[in-house]
Amino acid sequence: VGINRKQFFEICEGFRNMAPGIIGEDAADHVKPKFFKRGTLYISVPSSIYAQRVYVHRHDLIMKLNLNMDGHLVKEIRTLVEA
């Protein structure tokens, strides 16, 4: 699914706004959207602990992101551990 720059920024902003409430308040400082490719939102995390938290809550995150976007742009969320 191709998206434009505006949609990418909306997805990132939506993720930043909802992630703390879903995966923990400390997530805002550590879990960041990196890029979007073929329906997958890639998230930068500092450790496997944060990666696990994103993984456990990925379905909720995807559902809420897509509700905010009025479409089903986000099909999957994957994490990239970057120390």
Side-chain angles (χ1 to χ4, degrees):
V1 174
I3 64 169
N4 61 41
R5 184 177 293 271
K6 181 178 182 250
Q7 289 171 313
F8 173 71
F9 286 120
E10 288 174 1
I11 289 169
C12 291
E13 187 66 22
F15 182 86
R16 283 187 206 100
N17 289 336
M18 72 179 62
I22 295 174
I23 61 175
E25 290 299 320
D26 59 330
D29 295 331
H30 302 288
V31 178
K32 309 222 183 279
K34 261 316 229 201
F35 62 94
F36 185 87
K37 185 176 181 180
R38 296 184 183 150
T40 300
L41 178 62
Y42 291 84
I43 306 297
S44 172
V45 297
S47 69
S48 60
I49 293 168
Y50 284 100
Q52 181 67 22
R53 287 166 63 181
V54 171
Y55 180 81
V56 166
H57 296 288
R58 73 190 185 287
H59 295 297
D60 288 337
L61 291 163
I62 291 167
M63 181 186 69
K64 290 181 180 180
L65 284 169
N66 285 328
L67 283 173
N68 285 347
M69 295 297 299
D70 293 327
H72 296 286
L73 296 174
V74 181
K75 307 284 186 214
E76 185 61 67
I77 293 178
R78 299 214 178 176
T79 54
L80 304 166
V81 178
E82 300 179 336

